[in-house]
Amino acid sequence: MPSLISSHRLHQHHVPLHPPLLTKKNRNLQVTFVSTPTSSNMSADSNSLQRRSISSLAPLEAVLFDIDGTLCDSDPLHFLAFRDMLQEMGFNDGVPIDEEFFIQKIAGKHNDDIGVILFPDWEPEKSHKWLVEKEAYFRRLAAEKLAPVKGLYKLCKWVEDRGLKRAAVTNAPKENAELALSSLGLTEFFQGVVLGDECERAKPFPDPYLKGLKLLSTSPDHTLVFEDSVSGTKAGVAAGLPVVALTTGNPEHLLKEAGASLVIENYEDPKLWSVLEELDALAAKL
């Protein structure tokens, strides 16, 4: 398994980033954090749903992005925060968690679910308090070390140039989402942000992505999802959306098993641009 963390990444300092140019039409948009609860009878089991073809989306109208691991390579920082705090409290007899444990038990999951997994004997209030402290520690790390996934701004420009609608859909706490978008210079890029905290069910259920469709007033027949986690991929697929999954935090075979239509390394992956060029060509014929 490729390492989530490299020594140079842990010690690099934050370099000011250059976000994509915003069109005049979108420059004054205010990011809306959606708080209206959404429920769905759809299952989170992606295995029961047919894998969608990305080319079937033409003409593409909207794009929904996860944040952690999809816009920014934040999983190594989450791993550090969990590892340090769990070791400090004597979890697993003081033996630090490894990357495999992090991927299987933590990555991409909502904090409520993580609390049950890590601390099954704790009262919810106690695990919630611990996770709030963990997120604060993560934000201290992220303030200096958060960086965009390679090729992100190239893709953002492609989205802007075509006037596509876009929203961020995340299981992250609101404070984390705000920090990530601000650090990446993408606060004004998105027309809305959907939080798993404020949906009836978070990922891997489809509710957050269904809320994203409603927010943008767009159809699943013309909307593409970018994800990196197994739970997020399952959520997108369960919402009836094709998912492009990045291997920033999970191996390719797990993302394919979750139902991803395409798996890429980053946004400079030739496989991605081949698909996007095909979408452009198909749209031009309509």
Side-chain angles (χ1 to χ4, degrees):
M1 177 184 299
S3 175
L4 283 171
I5 300 174
S6 61
S7 58
H8 78 273
R9 183 185 298 167
L10 295 182
H11 295 94
Q12 68 184 12
H13 293 287
H14 177 71
V15 177
L17 304 173
H18 300 284
L21 294 175
L22 294 168
T23 61
K24 184 176 181 181
K25 179 175 69 174
N26 293 316
R27 193 179 304 276
N28 296 319
L29 285 172
Q30 297 295 316
V31 173
T32 302
F33 283 83
V34 178
S35 58
T36 304
T38 298
S39 61
S40 169
N41 293 323
M42 296 179 67
S43 168
D45 182 6
S46 62
N47 294 327
S48 65
L49 299 173
Q50 185 175 3
R51 196 185 307 268
R52 290 283 307 278
S53 166
I54 296 175
S55 61
S56 69
L57 297 177
L60 186 63
E61 296 177 355
V63 184
L64 299 173
F65 288 87
D66 174 51
I67 295 180
D68 279 318
T70 302
L71 298 179
C72 49
D73 193 7
S74 52
D75 272 355
L77 303 181
H78 282 291
F79 172 75
L80 275 181
F82 274 108
R83 186 195 66 184
D84 291 353
M85 289 187 61
L86 287 171
Q87 184 178 16
E88 182 179 357
M89 65 174 289
F91 183 86
N92 193 32
D93 294 327
V95 178
I97 64 169
D98 58 17
E99 294 171 7
E100 183 177 359
F101 180 93
F102 176 79
I103 290 172
Q104 292 181 353
K105 305 293 186 182
I106 297 173
K109 293 181 174 62
H110 189 270
N111 273 355
D112 289 348
D113 299 320
I114 294 172
V116 172
I117 292 170
L118 295 180
F119 314 118
D121 298 328
W122 285 16
E123 292 295 325
E125 294 79 7
K126 183 178 180 180
S127 59
H128 174 75
K129 181 180 179 181
W130 188 92
L131 286 161
V132 166
E133 293 174 356
K134 175 265 160 185
E135 297 300 350
Y137 180 26
F138 163 79
R139 287 192 292 274
R140 291 195 296 272
L141 295 172
E144 293 186 356
K145 299 173 181 175
L146 205 62
V149 172
K150 188 176 181 181
L152 173 65
Y153 297 138
K154 177 182 178 182
L155 177 61
C156 289
K157 186 176 187 304
W158 185 91
V159 169
E160 280 194 319
D161 286 348
R162 284 149 186 80
L164 303 180
K165 300 175 183 179
R166 56 265 190 184
V169 180
T170 180
N171 269 356
K174 183 177 181 178
E175 294 85 353
N176 291 18
E178 290 175 334
L179 173 64
L181 296 182
S182 175
S183 297
L184 296 171
L186 294 178
T187 301
E188 295 184 0
F189 174 76
F190 289 106
Q191 292 152 310
V193 177
V194 178
L195 301 172
D197 273 345
E198 296 174 342
C199 293
E200 186 171 322
R201 302 179 301 180
K203 305 174 191 178
F205 291 97
D207 303 39
Y209 279 114
L210 294 174
K211 191 66 183 179
L213 292 173
K214 183 177 180 181
L215 170 67
L216 297 179
S217 299
T218 190
S219 164
D221 294 331
H222 302 285
T223 302
L224 181 61
V225 167
F226 285 92
E227 265 287 353
D228 76 297
S229 69
V230 170
S231 65
T233 299
K234 287 182 176 180
V237 172
L241 301 164
V243 176
V244 176
L246 291 91
T247 57
T248 47
N250 286 275
E252 181 175 359
H253 74 276
L254 290 181
L255 297 169
K256 286 185 175 179
E257 289 173 7
S261 297
L262 177 67
V263 178
I264 60 175
E265 181 179 358
N266 54 53
Y267 297 117
E268 293 187 357
D269 194 315
K271 296 194 298 291
L272 171 64
W273 291 97
S274 176
V275 168
L276 297 183
E277 288 170 6
E278 182 182 6
L279 279 173
D280 277 343
L282 290 170
K285 295 178 181 179
L286 298 175

